[in-house]
C-alpha cells in the first residue's frame, strides 16, 4: 500500500467552533481525510497555558470532539485524539526544550501578545511591532509572582513543535497566525537533526488550501470572525439565535447613487454570502446594491437562511452525538491508541539519539 503523507492539525480546547473555524479549517479537513493520513487533535495541554477553570477543560474537549465529528470528520478515516492522552508528547517536550533558546521564544509574536495580556498591558494589536515590544522583556523579568507570565506560555511553541514532530507530520494546515510557530518547528527540527546527526524529524510545511483559503469576516463590521472578538456565529447556535445575530449585523445607510463603493460592513455580509449562498443569489443582491434597490433586511434574511442550511444539520448532529458518551469514548480511545503508537516510536528514537540508554 502506498504510504500517504501525514497531515496534523490541532485546535486549542477553548470555546465552541464557529463559522470561521468551519470554513477556514474543518470543511477542508473533511476533504483531506480521504487523501492523507490525517491526525486531528484537541490541544488541551496548550489550553492550560491560560489557566482555564478545571471544571471547563474537559467540557471544552468534549464539545470540540463532538463538533469535529458532527461536521464530518470520520474516525474510520482520520485519527482524532486528545493531546493529554499521549504522554509521550510531554516527555519529548522536555527533551526538545534542551535545544530551544529562551530568546527565540521571547521574540515570538504570539508570546509577546499573551505576555502583554497576562501583565495587563494594553496595546494596539494592529501594530504588532509597537515600541512597547522592546520593553516587554523588562516587564516580564520585573513582574511579581501574582502577575506573572507562566513558563508554559513561553514554551508554547516547543509544545506545538513536538505535537507536529512526534507524529512526523509532513503537512500542517494552519492559519496565518500560526505561521511563525510552524517556522520555529522547522528550525527546531533542523537543529535537532543536525546536532544529533540524524534525520529523525521531517520538516513540516504549511498546508494552505489554495483558492479555497478564505477569510471569514465577523458580523460587527470589523475584520475576522474570532472567539475573542465576540462577533461569531457558532455551529451550535439555534435558529432563533443565529437569525437574530445576522439581523443585527452592522451595515450602513445604503447606496445613495448607482455603483457606489461598498463599505466594509456590507462587504463582509457579501463575503459571508459568497461562502454560503448560491452564486445567482449573491449576484442578485450585488446588482440590487449597484442600482440602489437593495434592502439590507432582505439580504440578511436570505443570508441567515443560507447559513442555517449549512449549520442546522451540523447542530442536529452535535445534539445527537453529545448524548452518546459511549461512542465519543470509543473514538477517542481508538484515536489515542493510534496516536500513541507513532508517538512512542518517535520518542524511543529521540531518546536513543540523545544518549538516554539503558546500560544496566
Ligand atoms: N497553536 C494552535 C492554535 O492556537 C493549536 C495547535 C497546537 C496546533 N498544536 C498544534 C496546530 C499542532 C497545528 C499543529 O491554533
Amino acid at each position: 500500500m502506498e504510504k500517504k503523507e501525514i497531515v496534523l492539525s490541532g485546535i486549542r480546547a477553548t470555546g465552541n467552533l464557529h463559522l470561521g473555524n468551519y470554513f477556514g479549517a474543518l470543511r477542508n479537513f473533511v476533504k483531506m481525510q480521504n487523501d492523507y493520513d490525517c491526525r486531528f487533535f484537541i490541544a488541551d495541554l496548550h489550553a492550560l497555558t491560560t489557566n482555564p477553570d478545571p471544571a471547563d477543560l474537559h467540557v471544552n474537549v468534549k464539545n470540540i470532539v463532538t463538533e469535529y465529528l458532527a461536521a464530518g470528520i470520520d474516525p474510520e478515516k482520520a485519527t482524532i485524539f486528545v493531546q493529554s492522552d499521549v504522554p509521550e508528547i510531554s516527555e519529548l517536550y522536555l527533551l526538545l526544550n534542551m535545544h530551544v533558546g529562551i530568546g527565540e521564544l521571547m521574540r515570538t509574536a504570539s508570546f509577546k501578545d499573551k505576555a502583554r495580556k497576562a501583565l495587563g498591558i494594553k496595546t494596539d494589536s494592529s501594530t504588532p511591532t509597537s515600541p512597547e515590544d522592546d520593553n516587554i522583556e523588562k516587564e516580564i523579568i520585573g513582574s511579581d509572582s501574582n502577575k506573572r507570565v507562566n513558563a508554559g506560555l513561553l514554551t508554547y511553541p516547543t509544545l506545538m513543535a513536538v505535537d507536529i514532530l512526534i507524529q512526523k507530520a509532513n503537512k500542517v494546515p494552519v492559519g496565518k497566525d500560526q505561521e511563525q510557530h510552524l517556522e520555529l518547528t522547522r528550525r527546531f527540527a533542523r537543529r535537532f537533526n543536525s546536532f544529533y546527526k540524524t534525520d529523525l524529524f521531517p520538516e513540516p510545511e504549511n498546508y494552505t488550501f489554495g483558492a479555497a483559503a478564505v477569510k471569514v469576516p465577523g458580523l460587527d463590521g470589523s475584520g475576522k470572525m474570532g472567539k475573542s472578538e465576540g462577533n461569531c456565529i457558532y455551529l451550535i447556535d439555534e435558529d432563533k439565535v443565529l437569525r437574530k445575530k445576522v439581523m443585527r449585523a452592522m451595515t450602513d445607510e445604503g447606496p445613495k447613487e448607482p455603483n457606489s463603493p461598498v463599505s466594509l460592513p456590507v462587504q463582509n455580509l457579501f463575503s459571508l454570502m459568497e461562502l454560503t449562498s448560491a452564486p445567482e443569489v449573491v449576484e442578485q443582491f450585488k446588482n440590487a446594491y449597484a442600482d440602489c434597490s437593495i434592502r439590507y433586511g432582505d439580504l440578511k434574511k436570505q443570508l441567515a437562511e443560507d447559513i442555517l442550511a449549512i449549520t442546522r444539520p451540523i447542530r442536529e448532529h452535535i445534539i445527537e452525538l453529545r448524548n452518546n458518551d459511549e461512542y465519543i469514548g470509543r473514538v477517542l480511545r481508538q484515536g489515542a491508541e493510534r496516536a500513541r503508537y507513532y508517538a512512542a516510536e518517535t520518542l524511543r528514537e529521540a531518546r536513543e539519539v540523545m544518549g538516554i540508554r539503558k546500560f544496566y
Side-chain angles (χ1 to χ4, degrees):
M1 200 178 82
E2 192 202 345
K3 212 169 152 275
K4 289 179 176 174
E5 277 196 300
I6 299 167
V7 168
L8 178 89
S9 198
I11 182 157
R12 249 173 321 140
T14 53
N16 290 93
L17 299 182
H18 51 73
L19 273 192
N21 300 127
Y22 179 74
F23 287 113
L26 216 47
R27 185 180 58 161
N28 299 310
F29 292 175
V30 173
K31 286 186 208 139
M32 291 168 88
Q33 63 185 350
N34 297 313
D35 305 320
Y36 297 96
D37 174 353
C38 287
R39 305 173 194 175
F40 302 121
F41 73 98
I42 325 298
D44 57 342
L45 300 176
H46 275 110
L48 288 174
T49 56
T50 46
N51 303 141
D53 186 330
D56 294 342
L57 189 63
H58 75 280
V59 179
N60 283 332
V61 171
K62 183 180 163 182
N63 282 343
I64 293 179
V65 178
T66 312
E67 290 170 349
Y68 265 28
L69 294 170
I73 299 209
D74 178 353
E76 296 307 317
K77 294 179 183 162
T79 301
I80 308 170
F81 65 100
V82 180
Q83 189 182 30
S84 61
D85 276 342
V86 183
E88 289 80 5
I89 292 172
S90 298
E91 186 174 340
L92 188 60
Y93 161 72
L94 181 145
L95 299 178
L96 188 64
N97 259 333
M98 306 307 167
H99 291 276
V100 171
I102 301 173
E104 57 190 342
L105 292 174
M106 285 186 86
R107 286 190 298 274
T108 310
S110 64
F111 172 70
K112 289 184 182 179
D113 264 7
K114 288 176 180 170
R116 261 188 242 114
K117 272 202 192 111
L119 296 174
I121 303 169
K122 286 214 164 45
T123 45
D124 178 2
S125 60
S126 62
T127 53
T129 48
S130 54
E132 287 95 311
D133 279 354
D134 299 325
N135 291 321
I136 189 81
E137 284 87 353
K138 277 200 205 103
E139 296 269 0
I140 291 167
I141 289 173
S143 64
D144 60 41
S145 57
N146 291 323
K147 249 193 194 174
R148 65 192 171 277
V149 178
N150 73 60
L153 268 185
L154 180 67
T155 54
Y156 186 113
T158 314
L159 184 56
M160 178 158 163
V162 168
D163 292 331
I164 297 166
L165 300 177
I166 208 165
Q167 299 290 335
K168 299 189 179 175
N170 308 103
K171 294 191 155 59
V172 182
V174 285
K176 248 196 145 30
D177 59 325
Q178 298 296 316
E179 262 166 19
Q180 194 178 20
H181 288 153
L182 208 55
E183 191 54 54
L184 283 171
T185 302
R186 282 190 286 269
R187 203 201 291 168
F188 299 161
R190 274 197 300 274
R191 188 181 296 161
F192 185 99
N193 286 347
S194 86
F195 188 90
Y196 294 110
K197 302 187 176 50
T198 170
D199 57 2
L200 181 59
F201 298 131
E203 282 184 41
E205 58 179 12
N206 192 354
Y207 185 94
T208 48
F209 301 108
V214 288
K215 193 175 129 192
V216 183
L219 294 173
D220 53 354
S222 66
K224 200 172 127 171
M225 187 175 288
K227 266 184 264 202
S228 46
E229 299 0 290
N231 60 4
C232 292
I233 293 174
Y234 292 98
L235 296 178
I236 191 70
D237 279 344
E238 286 182 21
D239 290 18
K240 238 172 62 190
V241 175
L242 193 146
R243 286 198 185 101
K244 210 180 216 167
K245 282 185 182 174
V246 175
M247 294 315 287
R248 280 194 193 145
M250 195 168 150
T251 51
D252 56 22
E253 291 172 342
K256 297 269 182 296
E257 39 192 274
N259 303 313
S260 307
V262 184
S263 70
L264 184 60
V266 175
Q267 179 50 51
N268 284 349
L269 294 184
F270 279 132
S271 300
L272 281 171
M273 214 171 207
E274 276 161 7
L275 288 167
T276 54
S277 306
E280 318 78 84
V281 173
V282 185
E283 209 36 50
Q284 179 201 323
F285 282 99
K286 285 197 165 160
N287 290 338
Y289 185 91
D291 68 20
C292 302
S293 67
I294 193 161
R295 296 203 333 227
Y296 291 143
D298 293 345
L299 179 145
K300 289 173 170 179
K301 266 193 204 126
Q302 175 79 41
L303 177 61
E305 294 317 307
D306 291 338
I307 294 174
L308 277 170
I310 295 169
T311 59
R312 195 185 291 122
I314 299 177
R315 168 164 43 95
E316 284 165 1
H317 201 176
I318 294 172
I319 292 167
E320 202 178 292
L321 280 169
R322 73 176 167 202
N323 297 315
N324 198 344
D325 282 349
E326 215 266 331
Y327 174 69
I328 295 175
R330 221 180 322 132
V331 167
L332 291 181
R333 275 190 299 274
Q334 176 188 296
E337 197 183 313
R338 283 194 221 147
R340 281 196 80 175
Y341 171 83
Y342 300 110
E345 178 56 19
T346 311
L347 177 62
R348 194 192 60 71
E349 292 168 313
R351 290 176 60 123
E352 173 70 24
V353 297
M354 292 178 88
I356 306 175
R357 286 174 208 155
K358 283 239 185 301
F359 58 91
Y360 51 87

